[in-house]
Amino acid sequence: MVPDCMWNTSTIQAPFQLSFHCCCQVIYSHFGLAIHQNDHQARRRFVEWAQNEIAVVPDFHKRILFSDEAHFWLNGYVNKQNCRIWSEANPQLYVETPLHPEKLTVWCALWAGGIIRPYFFKNDEGHSVTVNGDRYRAMITNLFIPELNNHDIQELWFQQDGATCHTARATIDLLKDTFGDRLISRFGPVNWPPRSCDLTPQDYFLWGYVKSLVYADKPQTLDHLEDNIRRVIVDIRPQMLEKVIENWTSRLDYIRVIRGSHMPKIIFIM
């Protein structure tokens, strides 16, 4: 039995190791995830639902569009994975980061059939900005939905995590207009279990893989970094995505066996 309180260092992203500058601040790491009392139960309910769907439609897992955002810092050393700390109490982990780091905020949707091209959140002047509800809905309307015209929308489901910008009423209504009941989200027809990044292909594969490659030539500008991100994502082969999605079903099995607990180690094998 895997204990509920554990450290998971199976996944990593910036900014855990950085090239420090003279002006720094100490901030609370958002990778410290306090497990809530009902998390395991919510995860088991989702796993049981997903496995029941797969029992009826064997390729069901290949019809889910998984979505997520990530930050790419310009001046940070990036390891290949993303450090997650699972605990029943707030682990109170702190890291140092540059006071005003330059970064890109990138969104992607991934499924067995490919990757919806990356979207970079920027303002009218072309500067990188954080994600809010209005910007997220603009991306869904102007990029994501038009891209879906290239696919059979009646066959695809859409998944997103419980970030506030994702779950505003206007956002959920917009996604329901497109996907109907085929929406996996907090406040959606199918509930996405909170603190379940170990079930999101972007977290257990995509972001770590992309970050392991885009800094190889030491980009000095955000434009250069953006070009690298686009190139690496475009170069991901269909065979690799098939393995990533098949691994998702293995994760469902694992979680069900250990009664909803979070995974203590990565089980993705290339």
Side-chain angles (χ1 to χ4, degrees):
M1 179 67 65
V2 178
D4 292 343
C5 180
M6 59 187 172
W7 292 70
N8 181 338
T9 55
S10 61
T11 56
I12 202 154
Q13 291 173 358
F16 267 91
Q17 299 184 52
L18 291 169
S19 300
F20 292 114
H21 299 275
C22 59
C23 186
C24 293
Q25 63 177 341
V26 177
I27 61 171
Y28 174 64
S29 169
H30 66 287
F31 296 126
L33 302 177
I35 298 173
H36 294 190
Q37 183 177 2
N38 296 325
D39 281 0
H40 297 339
Q41 184 178 0
R43 284 161 61 83
R44 289 197 70 191
R45 283 197 300 267
F46 175 79
V47 167
E48 290 169 0
W49 170 83
Q51 290 185 326
N52 287 338
E53 293 293 324
I54 293 171
V56 175
V57 182
D59 66 346
F60 173 76
H61 55 294
K62 298 180 180 181
R63 303 182 183 186
I64 302 174
L65 276 160
F66 296 92
S67 69
D68 195 21
E69 297 96 7
H71 298 311
F72 285 73
W73 276 264
L74 181 61
N75 296 321
Y77 168 79
V78 181
N79 203 338
K80 293 183 179 179
Q81 301 291 333
N82 192 19
C83 184
R84 303 283 182 177
I85 299 174
W86 306 109
S87 174
E88 291 183 339
N90 191 324
Q92 299 294 337
L93 178 69
Y94 292 81
V95 295
E96 289 185 336
T97 65
L99 185 59
H100 300 293
E102 290 187 281
K103 70 183 180 206
L104 296 171
T105 300
V106 187
W107 175 93
C108 260
L110 175 157
W111 65 306
I115 299 179
I116 300 294
R117 61 188 177 90
Y119 178 86
F120 297 82
F121 286 92
K122 298 180 181 181
N123 59 20
D124 292 339
E125 289 73 39
H127 299 145
S128 183
V129 293
T130 57
V131 188
N132 60 27
D134 289 338
R135 291 166 181 156
Y136 186 72
R137 286 189 293 276
M139 182 276 298
I140 293 292
T141 300
N142 299 326
L143 171 92
F144 182 52
I145 293 177
E147 286 282 340
L148 291 177
N149 292 332
N150 298 324
H151 307 287
D152 185 354
I153 187 61
Q154 298 302 319
E155 296 296 326
L156 295 179
W157 289 65
F158 179 71
Q159 177 275 338
Q160 62 177 6
D161 65 26
T164 303
C165 61
H166 298 168
T167 58
R169 182 180 296 275
T171 305
I172 295 296
D173 288 344
L174 173 62
L175 291 170
K176 283 182 177 179
D177 287 343
T178 303
F179 291 96
D181 290 336
R182 300 184 312 281
L183 173 62
I184 304 170
S185 171
R186 184 185 181 194
F187 304 138
V190 177
N191 184 60
W192 177 253
R195 288 161 289 279
S196 293
C197 50
D198 55 332
L199 286 177
T200 308
Q202 277 85 341
D203 281 315
Y204 68 73
F205 163 69
L206 182 66
W207 300 135
Y209 175 78
V210 174
K211 290 182 178 183
S212 72
L213 299 176
V214 297
Y215 296 98
D217 60 354
K218 298 180 174 56
Q220 299 299 306
T221 67
L222 290 178
D223 286 343
H224 186 178
L225 179 58
E226 179 176 332
D227 289 342
N228 284 0
I229 293 169
R230 292 183 186 277
R231 172 180 50 78
V232 169
I233 289 177
V234 167
D235 286 344
I236 294 176
R237 299 294 91 193
Q239 296 84 350
M240 185 179 293
L241 293 178
E242 290 176 6
K243 291 182 179 180
V244 170
I245 298 303
E246 288 301 327
N247 179 259
W248 190 73
T249 63
S250 300
R251 290 166 177 264
L252 296 180
D253 293 336
Y254 187 99
I255 289 170
R256 189 164 188 172
V257 168
I258 61 174
R259 300 183 180 182
S261 293
H262 293 76
M263 296 176 60
K265 61 183 179 179
I266 197 161
I267 62 172
F268 177 68
I269 300 175
M270 292 300 297

